[in-house]
Amino acid sequence: MRKNYLLTRRGLLCLCLGTLASIGTLAKSTAFNNQVRDFTAVGEASLKERAAAKGLIYGSVGKYRTLSSDAEFSSRFPQECAMLVASNELKWRGIRPSPDRFDFTKGDWLAEFASRHNMLFRGHTLVWHNGLPEWFQEKVNSQNAERMLVDHIKKVAGHYAGKIHSWDVVNEAVYPTHGRAEGLRDSPWLEFLGLDYIELAFRAAREADPKALLVYNENHLWYEGQLRANTPTGEAKRTAVLKLLERLKSKGTPIDVLGIQGHLRGHQLDQLHPKKLRAFLTDVANLDLKIMVTELDVRDHKLPKDIDVRDRLVAKAYEDFLSVVLDEPAVMAVFTWGLSDRDTWLSRVARRKDGLPVRPLPLDAQLNRKLAWNAMARAFDNAPMR
Ligand code: XIL
């Protein structure tokens, strides 16, 4: 009897300890922690004001189509943003309808909108394997590629010279699993021009617009593992990007900034390794380069349905990422890939299976501030001064 009783007491003790241990594990887990995180932002100041108070620039991509047709959105946009980033309007497909014709209409409208509202204007992008016009494949070849590329940069960057704060000169050129020299991505530019196309592009951009900051922009640098089979790990990408930047700098290439695309994934935040990302930023800064977070948004298509839970996880992603990145003084700017859930590319490319609208941006579809906005505001408020 007595023995049994003792065993029961021991059993009870084990049960209690077990329960305490699992509460401990839960407390460490993302979801639980997040329920108690306080996303309070002090005061009503806008994101651009909070960023500016720390010597940072905040802005967003804005589409011609939305800004020119949605009066409510276009008046809200400059209240939060100090920079307007062109969306598709300055990409090859957006600006070069035929080999010999450039159409600056939409880009000019954006430049004028930015200037009218005292915003800086940012160009995206002069060289990319994507966003090419339909005629490209038929008309561009290894004989004329150099002329086509240099001509394009001179015309486009030349047209906006004096109006552009910074240009994404080359976008997403690194992809180590393609097995090419220097870890570069398979792209028509690499195929036609070889390794030096990147340097060629930066030199042409500097000549066309000596004042704009020239940016090399890359994706998936924040992410640790692979996105899918055959995609490079974040580690492999960071290593190859550093090598590329070192090579460009050692050759005296006019490059000023590394752009880190911030397309985060709310359901895969365990892929963010603060120490590794932080160390990478130091390595980049040591090359005497500035850094911009260029395309920040948070995919929520695989997060729970409940809006409160979802918004908290999205906000957590913003705050966790930005608190690592803004710790590096070389980071000079943060740009989201959209301001409001009303207008985001993710409602097309990362839809929810339950059909609910996605909520990846700082403002909701009614242009109200969400927890993601609070998270950004807090990250700016807590950032060290530049
Ligand atoms: C996206 C645009 O948002 C879409 O409207 C377009 O259809 C495809 O391109 N990385 C980039 C951006 O550098 O140019 C991409 O923009 C998003 C991913």
Side-chain angles (χ1 to χ4, degrees), residues 82-100:
M83 170 90 77
L84 168 62
V85 184
S87 171
N88 297 318
E89 297 78 2
L90 305 189
K91 291 175 182 171
W92 275 65
R93 195 183 288 157
I95 210 164
R96 201 164 176 179
S98 69
D100 305 318

Side-chain angles (χ1 to χ4, degrees), residues 7-20:
L7 269 178
T8 312
R9 280 227 323 205
R10 191 174 297 150
L12 200 66
L13 189 69
C14 286
L15 193 72
C16 288
L17 288 176
T19 309
L20 282 175

Side-chain angles (χ1 to χ4, degrees), residues 88 91 124 128 171-172 217 261 263 295 337 345 348:
N88 297 318
K91 291 175 182 171
H124 173 84
W128 195 24
N171 195 31
E172 302 176 356
N217 194 42
Q261 294 185 19
H263 296 295
E295 301 183 16
W337 201 246
W345 73 310
R348 198 164 36 82

Side-chain angles (χ1 to χ4, degrees), residues 164-180:
I164 287 259
H165 169 269
S166 49
W167 263 114
D168 286 336
V169 178
V170 179
N171 195 31
E172 302 176 356
V174 165
Y175 206 90
T177 49
H178 280 169
R180 299 293 206 114

Side-chain angles (χ1 to χ4, degrees), residues 9 31 43 50 52 75 78 136 148 161 176 206 223 226 231 261 290 305 325 342 385:
R9 280 227 323 205
R50 290 172 200 260
S75 66
F136 187 91
M148 290 294 269
R206 180 65 99 227
Y223 197 86
Q226 288 179 287
T231 62
Q261 294 185 19
K290 294 283 187 200
K305 192 172 178 170
V325 174
R342 182 181 288 198
M385 186 73 184

Side-chain angles (χ1 to χ4, degrees), residues 12 14 46 57 72 83 95-96 174 189 192 194 197 211 231-232 256 269 305 309 364 366 369:
L12 200 66
C14 286
S46 64
I57 305 168
E72 191 190 18
M83 170 90 77
I95 210 164
R96 201 164 176 179
V174 165
W189 300 118
F192 297 146
Y197 82 90
K211 291 211 175 119
T231 62
D256 306 301
L269 209 57
K305 192 172 178 170
V309 174
D364 70 13
Q366 287 70 46
R369 292 169 171 176

